[in-house]
Amino acid sequence: MQRWRGLEDIPQDWGRSVVTIGSYDGVHRGHQLIIGRAVERARELGVPSVVVTFDPHPSEVVRPGSHPPLLAPHHRRAELMAELGVDAVLVLPFTAEFSKLAPADFIAKVLVDRLHAKAVIEGPNFRFGHKAAGNVELLAELGAAYDYTVEVIDLYVTGEAGGGLPFSSTLTRRLIAEGDVTGAAEILGRPHRVEGIVVRGAQRGRELGYPTANVETLPHTAIPADGVYAGWLEVDGESMPAAISVGTNPQFDAVERTVEAYAIDRVDLDLYGLHVAVDFLAYVRGMLKFDTIDDLVIAMAADVKRCGELTAAYARTH
């Protein structure tokens, strides 16, 4: 899959293509319907499929300080899109100047002049251009003039997550913030992932017999509520069952909120400086302060046992 940053990265000889545009944070199951249809339509027409997305999130430029917690960084979104069969991802730097493009100019500059769109696939609430003034009706109207078709896909999937609310990135962020990583996984179609570099912490876990990877997460990452979770620690493509702790470590009166993962029964790992991923499967318990260190160690042993059971049960059914 080709990855481009900015219009100037698109090959000069790029021909017709099928395009879909959106933030697509998380590439959740609703997004997958739209992107999957774009891939399918591109194959029907014998042309490549292109996903256009933005960096930073448009809300941060339009309303500074309002950047939403991100469900997936751009490189992860690209990986997920590649798995869906996308041929190219175009990340457009979203600047104040770019945000002022009139809807018709946005279409002409991006879809027509550079991507030579033959078909455009979008969700019903797609908005574009200055002050989000463009909608799917205008997109279709301009398509008649610029020789591309428009197909609108209903991306609203529902399930148990969020009490039956339509799946969305906003709902996913809310569930993650509440610690409902199981509900978030239903929307995403996979466990929620947090990534970052392993840094040196206080090393208390090692002293207590449970050495953890202290993950310095990427900016704006959507991090689950404080607590203990079952999941996996992925390093260099190896996914290891893990007990994950999120919070300030109240036992030692710490103040910095951290994400730490103990790869179950793996005390031989040296991960400092490595980029790792933490996948959240299930909430186990809230963050507690115990009366003694011995009580903490007993609880940690129970946590590790429970996390091992949950990940093993998941592995048996997937």
Side-chain angles (χ1 to χ4, degrees):
M1 186 182 75
Q2 298 189 53
R3 302 185 191 187
W4 308 318
R5 184 169 181 87
L7 296 173
E8 62 281 357
D9 271 5
I10 302 171
Q12 290 298 319
D13 60 352
W14 188 256
R16 304 298 297 272
S17 59
V18 173
V19 183
T20 184
I21 306 166
S23 291
Y24 290 130
D25 183 23
V27 193
H28 62 63
R29 286 169 57 191
H31 294 154
Q32 291 167 30
L33 291 177
I34 299 174
I35 296 169
R37 176 55 188 154
V39 169
E40 182 181 49
R41 185 67 181 133
R43 288 174 180 164
E44 290 170 0
L45 295 172
V47 298
S49 55
V50 182
V51 176
V52 179
T53 188
F54 308 97
D55 183 39
H57 194 284
S59 67
E60 181 63 17
V61 175
V62 178
R63 296 179 300 280
S66 66
H67 200 304
L70 292 180
L71 302 173
H74 279 286
H75 71 267
R76 176 62 173 157
R77 291 183 223 176
E79 290 171 2
L80 295 166
M81 290 171 184
E83 290 173 8
L84 293 171
V86 171
D87 295 302
V89 172
L90 168 61
V91 179
L92 289 176
F94 199 89
T95 62
E97 180 185 5
F98 187 85
S99 74
K100 293 171 183 168
L101 270 181
D105 292 336
F106 173 86
I107 294 302
K109 187 173 183 178
V110 178
L111 283 184
V112 179
D113 293 347
R114 299 312 304 267
L115 293 175
H116 311 296
K118 191 174 181 66
V120 181
I121 314 295
E122 292 298 342
N125 289 342
F126 173 61
R127 310 290 298 200
F128 62 97
H130 186 46
K131 294 186 176 178
N135 55 22
V136 289
E137 288 77 22
L138 178 60
L139 183 67
E141 184 182 316
L142 292 169
Y146 286 125
D147 187 31
Y148 64 77
T149 60
V150 173
E151 188 174 343
V152 179
I153 302 295
D154 181 4
L155 77 166
Y156 295 113
V157 187
T158 59
E160 293 182 15
L165 290 173
F167 291 173
S168 68
S169 296
T170 300
L171 175 59
T172 311
R173 293 186 193 106
R174 193 195 90 195
L175 295 176
I176 290 168
E178 293 171 353
D180 185 0
V181 295
T182 303
E186 183 190 3
I187 299 172
L188 294 169
R190 64 186 182 280
H192 175 57
R193 170 171 290 190
V194 167
E195 299 184 37
I197 301 295
V198 177
V199 297
R200 291 192 184 275
Q203 296 187 300
R204 294 191 185 96
R206 185 173 298 278
E207 293 168 5
L208 299 173
Y210 299 98
T212 59
N214 188 348
V215 183
E216 187 174 70
T217 56
L218 300 176
H220 304 298
T221 295
I223 297 174
D226 289 3
V228 174
Y229 298 83
W232 298 270
L233 176 65
E234 183 174 292
V235 185
D236 292 333
E238 182 185 1
S239 188
M240 298 168 280
I244 307 156
S245 171
V246 178
T248 57
N249 204 336
Q251 191 71 37
F252 300 97
D253 298 320
V255 293
E256 184 180 354
R257 196 161 183 257
T258 60
V259 176
E260 300 180 61
Y262 165 63
I264 297 173
D265 296 333
R266 296 292 297 272
V267 294
D268 56 329
L269 298 173
D270 181 6
L271 304 177
Y272 293 119
L274 297 183
H275 184 98
V276 302
V278 178
D279 291 331
F280 289 82
L281 171 64
Y283 178 86
V284 173
R285 66 167 174 86
M287 192 58 63
L288 302 171
K289 184 171 183 177
F290 296 90
D291 292 336
T292 68
I293 298 300
D294 286 343
D295 289 340
L296 169 62
V297 173
I298 290 168
M300 291 172 72
D303 292 339
V304 168
K305 181 174 183 291
R306 180 63 178 146
C307 291
E309 291 168 351
L310 288 167
T311 53
Y314 183 89
R316 284 195 297 270
T317 58
H318 290 76

